[in-house]
Amino acid sequence: MQNSATPTHCPYCALQCGMNLTPAADGSVEVTERADFPVNRGALCGKGRTAPAVLSSRVRLTSPLVRSGDGTLVPATWDEALDRIAGNLARTRQEHGADALGVFGGGGLTNEKAYALGKFARVVLGTSQIDYNGRFCMSSAAAAGTKAFGLDRGLPFPLEDVPRTGCVILVGSNLAETMPPSLRFFSELKANGGTLIVVDPRRTRTAEQADLHLAPRPGTDLALALGLLHLVVAEGRVDEAYVEERTSGWEEARAAAMAHWPEQVERITGVSVPELREAVRLFCEPEHAMVLTARGPEQQAKGTDTVGAWINLCLATGRVGRPLSGYGCLTGQGNGQGGREHGQKADQLPGYRKLTDPAARRHVAGVWGVDPDSLPGPGRSAYELLDALGTDIRSLLLMGSNPVVSAPRAAHVEQRLRSLDFLAVCDVVLSETAALADVVLPVTQWAEETGTTTSLEGRVLLRRRAITPPDGVRSDLEVLHELAARLGVEKGFPTDAEEVFEELRRASAGGLADYSGITYRRLAQENGVFWPCPEQETGGAEHPGTPRLFLDRFPTEDGRARFVPVSHRPSGEEPDDEYPVLLTTGRVVAQYQSGAQTRRVDELNAAAPGPFVELHPRLAARLGAAEGDPVAVVSRRGRAVAPARITTGIRPDTVFMPFHWPGEGRANTLTNPALDPTSRMPEFKVCAVRVEAVTP
Ligand SMILES: Nc1nc2c(c(=O)[nH]1)N[C@H]1C(S)=C(S)[C@@H](COP(=O)(O)OP(=O)(O)OC[C@H]3O[C@@H](n4cnc5c(=O)[nH]c(N)nc54)[C@H](O)[C@@H]3O)O[C@H]1N2
Ligand SMILES: Nc1nc2c(c(=O)[nH]1)N[C@H]1C(S)=C(S)[C@@H](COP(=O)(O)OP(=O)(O)OC[C@H]3O[C@@H](n4cnc5c(=O)[nH]c(N)nc54)[C@H](O)[C@@H]3O)O[C@H]1N2
Ligand code: SF4
Ligand SMILES: [Mo]
């Protein structure tokens, strides 16, 4: 198609770095610097730089596959594959009812796809059983933000504000590996005289940059935040005027914090009282300060309360809704923000509306041209949905996730997937989950299609088609269109992304995440538009978008932010004699998520070839394990084996495993699906294990 450079964005994480793509004569695609995008100013990590490798038909699917009589997956025509999916979904619905149909989406899908998938589930299938992998990502921060501020947008300010604040506490974020180009903002902060505090049980590459590194036991951030708030009160550092003017609920939150004595917090967290005092001093002395959380404190069975405790600390010190200050969550997936706003979540309608709100149902049903009463109610959360496969849920359509690798208690989830009557997967590669499917549909990817994503800053961005897709693949939107038609819904599922976006604009109008003033035309001209961006009356100037939130008021009933009283509680599993060590999990820079895409890139595999168990020399010595020796990690859910990586940069009571690989070293064989009561987030970041030497 085109052979000039097309400006677009990376397919992977929520930073959504800008890049230019140029197709070369030999069919390959070159990534070049796109310096005009302010978030990365041309810088890319290795994953972004090598992303075109996954466009190659050497590693991807280019034909639909169907399960044949002998149990193998064999190529089929699109008509055969689509007919088979539609036929099975219709049969399941007839035999077991609409709620026996499940839909599972992903935070990597564009806004248009996420919107169309949610609409497809509710309008075409009539099922309530839809959720997505974002539940495993930032759902605890979303729940806490909604409780406190009445609105959840990951960052309520652009990253450009970071260098100009006075202090940032980064809680459980390893952004030096997970969003490398963003490290620049934190280096600039330090160069400007600001300080960086990192809270992580490991001395990560990010923690190495910190002025102060606090290394709590996994699962104790809630106590840590309460201990800091206790000291803020005890040292007279509360911003009384702000609390009085802009918040409610302080007395209860204060009382809860006062019950958490610093010495007691030291015992729970392992962070010393002098370190706690130093953190409070660094955070409170400057005029401006921020707290940013990521998956460390969020992926816990008390993640919502934990984030709530960090928000309370920000509110008590007058840090939210003021320039250069605030609380933010570093959302993870490419469209982790937009993916949670437009209806693929179990309880949600487009525009960040609630499925249980009658006015929201009326509005969206109006846009969809259906009876509001025909819309199902809220369904199960992601893990609960996966756990119900093969029992209540008989057939599943999955788009944009690889739960065989990424779901907690993965061996059980794999067995649930196998027990389905019917599984259909849309993917670009034959992921471990796609390999279990009855029908696999090969779809187009980022560089081959147009669509929008919303970055961790709440900035809506245009990803542009830069190359022609290979023969044999179709887009997710075409898949939904074809399936809808086969299931009797001829209209309402356009295959053109802009057409879908035009409908999304109307559906989101008046909602919290209002996109109605955003158009493809604007996105092509501007470097993204921050929501909310309502459409202005005709003739008026265009709404500029909202880079900074809460400056005047909070979108709560009384306009005030709400303190939420929270208390520390133990993790779902605490160590005992049988399982005396804590396991935590996370990421390495060269692999992305379940690895379905990045494990197909030679350069990335060379940098990060496989799983490992990071452990302290003292623990290694007890096992008699040397660097590189295989060690077994055993939890109540199963056993995983991977080479030892010995480092003093981890607490002696904790081991760490990255979760990017399937097979023997799969970290999620071990993880605990204990769920947060509000966000339904599984406890990826802490479970009890035993570590054993493996005799060859
Ligand atoms: N290279 C790479 N980059 C990615 C991704 C990827 O897979 N690979 N995925 C993207 C996505 S979807 C996401 S969600 C983000 C995630 O980005 P991050 O949240 O930065 O990633 P994680 O490695 O999961 O966790 C961060 C840190 O939490 C620490 N941690 C573990 N337990 C605890 C605890 O109890 N308390 C605290 N305070 N910290 C703890 C871990 O040691 C780890 O260093 O990254 C995005 N970027
Ligand atoms: N132990 C442990 N487990 C974790 C975490 C952890 O920290 N520890 N983190 C959790 C988090 S934060 C996340 S976000 C999840 C992510 O885990 P997954 O949901 O498994 O995410 P991905 O590996 O990105 O899977 C995306 C899939 O969609 C495919 N795909 C890419 N683009 C498209 C597209 O446009 N259309 C379609 N149909 N498919 C596409 C990819 O090839 C891939 O197979 O993992 C969670 N699991
Ligand atoms: S940091 Fe994220 S968005 Fe930027 S190049 Fe790397 S993976 Fe892509
Ligand atoms: Mo994530």
Side-chain angles (χ1 to χ4, degrees), residues 100-123:
L101 301 175
V103 178
F104 200 90
L109 301 176
T110 58
N111 288 316
E112 292 78 2
K113 294 178 183 189
Y115 172 85
L117 191 64
K119 180 179 177 184
F120 179 83
R122 277 131 190 163
V123 173

Side-chain angles (χ1 to χ4, degrees), residues 174 178 200 202 219 221 295 584 587-589 591 593 685:
N174 184 12
T178 53
D200 196 306
R202 304 186 300 137
D221 302 80
R295 302 307 81 78
T584 192
R587 297 161 163 82
V588 297
V589 64
Q591 296 289 352
Q593 314 273 58
K685 285 294 188 269

